[in-house]
Amino acid sequence: MTRLTLIAELSIPAVPPSVNDYTERARNGGTILTERSREFKRTAYQSIGRHAPHKPSEKRIAVEVTIYAADKRDSDIDNRNKLILDALEEAQFIKNDSQVDEIHTYRGKEIVPGGRVDIVVCEIDDRRQLTK
């Protein structure tokens, strides 16, 4: 039986860019974060960083994400989680985003000026994994 232990319920007053707008080409031929991505990461850290635990979790993680759009334009919600998970890692809720075993992403039902992301982070306590 799988049990979840709540780590945090958080809100970020912004919506991350999609992975299509996540990075851009650098002058040296590599890739760098776009300004929109860097701005989202700053906003996310300012919003959730002060709520971080003293020590990041090292357990397996389940995350629930609700994305509230800033306007009525159609947008994909399936490709926005990368920056959200990066923000959880940077704020030290988790040690590494590779710990995330489950992620459920929902579209918020209302429009929120400026957009918003609500996040629920839980540790997975799976008794079946403990016996293996």
Side-chain angles (χ1 to χ4, degrees):
M1 167 182 256
T2 301
R3 286 190 32 217
L4 300 176
T5 302
L6 179 68
I7 295 176
E9 294 182 68
L10 310 159
S11 285
I12 300 169
V15 175
S18 74
V19 291
N20 302 329
D21 299 321
Y22 179 66
T23 59
E24 61 189 1
R25 288 258 180 237
R27 291 182 184 167
N28 66 3
T31 58
I32 59 172
L33 290 178
T34 62
E35 180 54 38
R36 285 187 62 209
S37 294
R38 289 190 300 272
E39 180 60 32
F40 176 80
K41 286 181 81 170
R42 279 190 295 272
T43 300
Y45 188 78
Q46 290 169 356
S47 300
I48 68 174
R50 64 181 174 268
H51 303 292
H54 297 293
K55 183 177 168 189
S57 175
E58 295 185 26
K59 291 188 175 185
R60 306 311 301 169
I61 299 292
V63 179
E64 180 181 287
V65 175
T66 305
I67 299 173
Y68 295 89
D71 55 43
K72 292 183 179 182
R73 288 181 288 173
D74 282 339
S75 66
D76 293 342
I77 62 167
D78 64 338
N79 62 7
R80 298 182 184 266
N81 289 325
K82 178 65 178 147
L83 280 174
I84 294 167
L85 296 180
D86 286 351
L88 290 174
E89 185 177 329
E90 190 169 319
Q92 296 192 348
F93 284 92
I94 59 178
K95 196 167 190 169
N96 189 286
D97 60 7
S98 66
Q99 294 170 248
V100 177
D101 286 349
E102 293 182 32
I103 186 161
H104 301 270
T105 306
Y106 303 95
R107 184 184 313 276
K109 297 194 184 301
E110 66 264 6
I111 303 297
V112 174
R116 187 179 81 223
V117 176
D118 290 345
I119 309 164
V120 178
V121 184
C122 296
E123 292 178 332
I124 299 172
D125 300 313
D126 190 340
R127 294 173 191 235
R128 288 173 297 181
Q129 289 179 350
L130 295 176
T131 60
K132 290 184 180 179

